[in-house]
């Protein structure tokens, strides 16, 4: 028996409130059963229908009891006067702008694919992935737009598949890549200032759908150099990003990592130093394992440091795509992830990315789109194509709200129980979760007399310190995938929110108290609100069995009467 509901298997795609879903099923069955009886030719249908209707009404009453007693996630509303934190973004917010605002996203990425914008020649400019109305909507909503420049039209390719004239001077009309970058940056100057130059050039397998870059590292450096020089000339406020690295492509095949090779090639260019090394920010795209998100960001910061560079690092894409959503079944998943695990990943991944030093982090992606089915076996949207939210939407929303305005985040507990300490000007927030498939009883030192306990759904409860400590229960991880001794994605996190000024505490920044103790829980004593539904379920089961026996008896009697006639 699981220690918490398996959301991926028990909750319908439209809602987390499975009691309302069950009530709707009762309504459907109540309407359809008489028709089914008629189709089977039963006489005495009215008597059977009345009996069945009575039993079903009793079931409805009992199910309402579940709704009343079972605690469900409450909607999380944005705090008034709480502006979006620029550190949090989402990919393609223009496709569901209202939900992007509800999420709390402060920025989004939009793709500008050269081959789609100018498919037949340089005189075209057709942008379907971010229309002028969508761009205006994003700006009006206060969300910063980050552009991704990628793709080469057939007419613009040389014999090697690279842009024609790439190695010509940026001002030479024969440098077709320079012309495209100049046009894009000039058109959107003041509306879009951040430009990412390509995506995942470290994917080297030509047959893979993610393969995009036909050149080598030196070719990419020149692509980057041309874009940097042209963009800064067209718009001095331009911010140029390195292409996002997937990291795992080289790791899985035992190859030398692309990123350090790229840095070496940049440093070798004689014009690099005087042009700030042709980039303003590095970008990564990391998925599924919150712990490796932290470790890889730290690793890449180290590579830059070894080269004497200290550029910001953005986690441009992150998520843990579910494989158990009934709306999008995955036949052959790369990694097994439940909807509950995806929900738990959001606070874990976002917090650890910032704790590792990422300047910004974005979730890939906001909403499923038609092309996703071809591109990915798993659904990555926080929102389905029909605009119904997956559970992860709510937990991402809560995480963004509670992690916003943080001055410092520190991952200071990394064992069976994980803890990230979030220091703000007027609050200290501690995010905790179990990293193993066993629930944990945890004791942590109190920094105030009371705190707010917030679960990952945003439900809030005030707790009092006892002898200078708070006592918590952390639920187990589902642990469909493991990494070493730990679950790939830990159990549902909780937040401890205390209204204290970290600067007033006798502590060094980032070194707040560790967990005092934790011990495994083989059995969790459920509070009354959770025991009552269990009793109700038992009663329902008995009623269903009784209803079946009564109906069977009536049908038998009806059948005998029919024969006698």
């Amino acid at each position: 028996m699981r220690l918490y509901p398996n959301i991926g298997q028990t909750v319908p795609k439209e809602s987390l409130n499975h009691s309302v879903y069950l009530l709707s099923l009762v309504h459907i069955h109540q309407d359809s059963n008489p028709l089914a009886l008629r189709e089977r030719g039963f006489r005495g249908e009215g008597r059977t229908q009345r009996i069945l209707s009575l039993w079903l009404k009793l079931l409805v009453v009992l199910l309402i009891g579940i709704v009343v007693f079972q605690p469900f996630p409450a909607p999380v509303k944005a705090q008034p006067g709480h502006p979006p934190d620029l550190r949090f973004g989402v990919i393609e917010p223009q496709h569901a702008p209202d939900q992007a605002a509800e999420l709390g996203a402060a920025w989004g990425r939009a793709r500008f694919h050269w081959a789609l914008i100018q498919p037949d020649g340089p005189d075209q400019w057709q942008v379907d992935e971010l229309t002028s109305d969508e761009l205006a909507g994003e700006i009006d909503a206060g969300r910063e737009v980050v552009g991704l420049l990628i793709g080469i039209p057939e007419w613009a390719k040389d014999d090697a598949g690279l842009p024609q004239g790439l190695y010509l001077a940026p001002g030479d009309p024969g440098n077709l890549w320079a012309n495209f970058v100049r046009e894009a940056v000039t058109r959107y100057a003041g509306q879009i200032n951040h430009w990412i130059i390509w995506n995942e050039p470290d994917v080297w397998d030509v047959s893979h759908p993610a393969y995009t870059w036909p050149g080598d590292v030196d070719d990419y450096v020149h692509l980057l150099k041309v874009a940097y020089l042209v963009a800064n000339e067209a718009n001095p406020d331009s911010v140029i990003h390195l292409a996002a690295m997937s990291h795992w492509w080289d790791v899985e095949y035992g190859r030398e990592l692309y990123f350090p090779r790229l840095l070496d090639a940049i440093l070798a260019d004689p014009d690099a130093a005087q042009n700030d090394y042709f980039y303003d920010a590095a970008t990564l795209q990391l998925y599924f394992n919150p712990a490796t998100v932290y470790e890889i960001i730290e690793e890449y910061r180290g590579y830059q440091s070894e080269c004497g560079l200290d550029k910001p690092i953005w986690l441009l894409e992150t998520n843990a795509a579910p494989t158990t959503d009934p709306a999008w079944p995955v036949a052959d998943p790369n990694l097994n992830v439940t909807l509950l695990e995806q929900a738990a990943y959001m606070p874990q991944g976002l917090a650890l990315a910032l704790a590792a030093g990422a300047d910004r982090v974005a979730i890939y992606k906001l909403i499923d789109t038609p092309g996703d089915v071809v591109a990915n076996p798993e659904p990555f949207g926080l929102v389905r194509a029909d605009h119904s939210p997956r559970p992860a939407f709510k937990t991402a929303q809560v995480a963004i709200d509670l992690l916003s305005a943080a001055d410092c985040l520190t991952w200071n507990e990394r064992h069976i129980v994980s803890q990230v300490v979030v220091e703000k000007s007027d609050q200290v927030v501690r995010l905790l979760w179990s990293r193993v498939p066993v629930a944990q009883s945890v004791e942590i030192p109190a920094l105030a007399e009371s705190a707010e306990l917030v679960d990952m759904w945003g439900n809030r409860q005030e707790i009092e310190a006892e002898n200078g400590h708070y006592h918590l229960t952390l639920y187990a991880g589902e642990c469909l995938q493991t990494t070493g001794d730990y679950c790939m994605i830990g159990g549902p996190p909780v937040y401890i929110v205390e209204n204290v000024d970290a600067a007033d505490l006798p502590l060094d920044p980032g070194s707040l108290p560790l967990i005092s103790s934790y011990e495994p829980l083989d059995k969790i004593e459920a509070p009354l609100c959770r025991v009552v539904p269990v009793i109700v379920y038992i009663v329902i089961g008995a009623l269903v069995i009784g209803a079946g026996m009564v109906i069977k008896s009536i049908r038998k009697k009806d059948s005998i009467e029919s024969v006698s006639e």
Side-chain angles (χ1 to χ4, degrees):
M1 180 177 179
R2 295 191 185 278
L3 295 170
Y4 48 83
N6 184 335
I7 292 179
Q9 296 175 4
T10 62
V11 182
K13 64 182 181 181
E14 291 82 4
S15 173
L16 287 172
N17 192 331
H18 59 269
S19 296
V20 173
Y21 176 63
L22 290 173
L23 287 171
S24 70
L25 290 182
V26 169
H27 177 72
I28 292 168
H29 291 166
Q30 190 173 4
D31 289 342
S32 61
N33 271 331
L35 290 175
L37 289 171
R38 288 191 186 100
E39 289 171 359
R40 285 192 287 270
F42 284 110
R43 301 187 56 168
E45 58 189 354
R47 185 169 18 179
T48 303
Q49 180 180 346
R50 286 194 299 273
I51 296 293
L52 182 60
S53 176
L54 177 61
W55 284 105
L56 287 172
K57 286 176 181 177
L58 287 172
L59 291 178
V60 169
V61 172
L62 290 169
L63 286 166
I64 288 172
I66 297 176
V67 176
V68 172
F69 288 106
Q70 179 76 15
F72 290 107
V76 179
K77 296 182 179 180
Q79 298 296 323
H82 179 25
D85 189 322
L86 198 55
R87 286 175 286 193
F88 298 101
V90 69
I91 302 304
E92 299 171 359
Q94 71 272 16
H95 296 319
D98 292 341
Q99 284 164 305
E102 186 181 352
L103 181 67
W107 63 277
R109 187 194 70 188
R111 189 177 70 158
F112 292 81
H113 198 294
W114 186 9
L116 300 178
I117 294 172
Q118 297 180 329
D120 302 315
D123 295 331
Q124 293 177 298
W125 195 269
Q126 52 190 48
V127 180
D128 296 328
E129 296 189 44
L130 180 69
T131 66
S132 57
D133 288 343
E134 288 172 336
L135 175 58
E138 289 302 291
I139 293 171
D140 290 345
R143 279 189 296 275
E144 184 177 48
V145 178
V146 176
L148 166 63
L149 298 178
I150 193 172
I152 310 170
E154 289 299 321
W155 60 266
K157 291 180 180 179
D158 65 15
D159 293 341
L162 298 172
Q164 288 183 29
L166 179 61
Y167 281 86
L168 296 176
D172 192 312
N175 190 326
L176 302 187
W177 169 248
N179 297 343
F180 172 68
V181 173
R182 185 179 295 109
E183 178 74 8
V185 173
T186 301
R187 276 178 176 268
Y188 299 105
Q191 296 178 303
I192 302 175
N193 294 328
H194 286 263
W195 295 99
I196 304 161
I197 309 305
W198 224 263
N199 188 61
E200 296 183 345
D202 54 337
V203 177
W204 46 264
D205 185 352
V206 179
S207 65
H208 196 276
Y211 175 83
T212 61
W213 179 240
D216 59 20
V217 172
D218 291 330
D219 292 328
Y220 175 76
V221 170
H222 207 78
L223 184 90
L224 174 71
K225 177 180 180 178
V226 169
Y228 183 89
L229 296 174
V230 169
N232 277 278
E233 181 182 9
N235 176 12
D237 293 327
S238 294
V239 178
I240 300 300
H241 295 247
L242 289 180
M245 303 292 147
S246 72
H247 177 77
W248 292 107
W249 265 90
D250 289 328
V251 172
E252 290 297 316
Y253 291 93
R255 295 162 58 99
E256 183 183 357
L257 287 178
Y258 194 98
F259 188 69
R261 288 188 285 131
L262 174 59
L263 294 181
D264 289 342
I266 291 174
L267 266 61
D269 189 295
D271 299 324
Q274 63 186 9
N275 290 288
D276 208 14
Y277 301 95
F278 310 134
Y279 78 101
D280 301 301
T283 50
L284 284 164
Q285 296 179 168
L286 305 170
Y287 289 84
F288 292 105
N289 188 335
T292 58
V293 166
Y294 182 95
E295 293 161 0
I296 293 168
I297 292 172
E298 275 203 329
E299 181 182 350
Y300 278 59
R301 289 176 61 198
Y303 291 136
Q304 288 196 130
S305 180
E306 291 171 5
C307 295
L309 301 172
D310 186 21
K311 307 276 188 175
I313 293 182
W314 289 25
L315 181 58
L316 192 64
E317 294 182 9
T318 195
N319 202 337
T323 57
T324 63
D325 190 340
W328 188 323
V330 181
D332 186 23
N334 295 318
L335 293 168
N336 290 298
V337 177
T338 69
L339 282 168
L340 181 60
E341 286 183 308
Q342 184 196 28
Y345 176 88
M346 291 301 154
Q348 296 172 25
L350 295 179
L352 290 181
L354 296 180
D359 284 67
R360 295 199 195 182
V361 55
I363 300 166
Y364 181 87
K365 54 190 293 190
L366 179 58
I367 187 168
D368 295 336
T369 52
D372 294 345
V373 178
V374 177
N376 304 304
E378 305 95 347
F380 282 86
L382 294 177
V383 178
R384 302 179 183 88
D386 64 1
H387 287 264
S388 63
R390 291 191 171 93
F393 180 90
K394 185 174 291 294
T395 59
Q397 180 190 43
V398 173
I400 290 172
D401 179 56
L402 291 176
L403 300 178
S404 289
D407 299 320
C408 178
L409 291 91
T410 307
W411 189 19
N412 69 342
E413 289 280 9
R414 310 185 185 189
H415 303 293
I416 289 176
V417 173
S418 210
Q419 176 179 262
V420 175
V421 179
V422 184
E423 301 174 50
K424 304 184 182 184
S425 61
D426 58 352
Q427 280 185 340
V428 173
V429 179
R430 281 175 276 184
L431 177 65
L432 301 104
W433 67 91
S434 171
R435 298 185 69 191
V436 295
V438 179
Q440 303 292 322
S441 176
V442 180
E443 184 179 90
I444 63 172
L447 305 178
E449 293 182 357
S450 65
E452 202 170 32
L453 171 64
V454 186
D455 67 18
M456 70 175 182
W457 309 109
N459 297 305
R460 297 169 181 265
Q461 173 188 353
E462 186 172 348
I463 58 173
E464 301 291 333
E466 297 180 11
N467 299 320
H469 289 83
Y470 301 120
H471 301 273
L472 317 170
T473 296
L474 302 178
Y475 292 117
E478 286 192 297
C479 225
L480 263 64
Q481 303 282 163
T482 58
T483 54
D485 295 330
Y486 302 110
C487 303
M488 181 179 74
I489 300 171
V494 300
Y495 305 83
I496 300 297
V497 182
E498 294 176 285
N499 294 319
V500 295
D501 188 344
D504 294 337
L505 299 172
L507 302 161
D508 295 327
S511 62
L512 290 169
L514 300 173
I515 295 169
S516 300
S517 66
Y518 57 84
E519 60 180 358
L521 284 175
D522 295 328
K523 180 180 178 181
I524 296 179
E525 294 297 331
L528 180 61
C529 63
R530 294 189 183 276
V531 172
V532 170
V534 174
I535 298 171
V536 172
Y537 287 136
I538 294 171
V539 174
I540 288 174
L543 287 172
V544 169
I545 294 171
M549 294 174 66
V550 170
I551 292 168
K552 184 177 180 181
S553 175
I554 292 172
R555 287 178 178 175
K556 184 177 180 180
K557 184 176 180 180
D558 290 342
S559 178
I560 293 170
E561 290 175 355
S562 176
V563 171
S564 65
E565 290 178 3

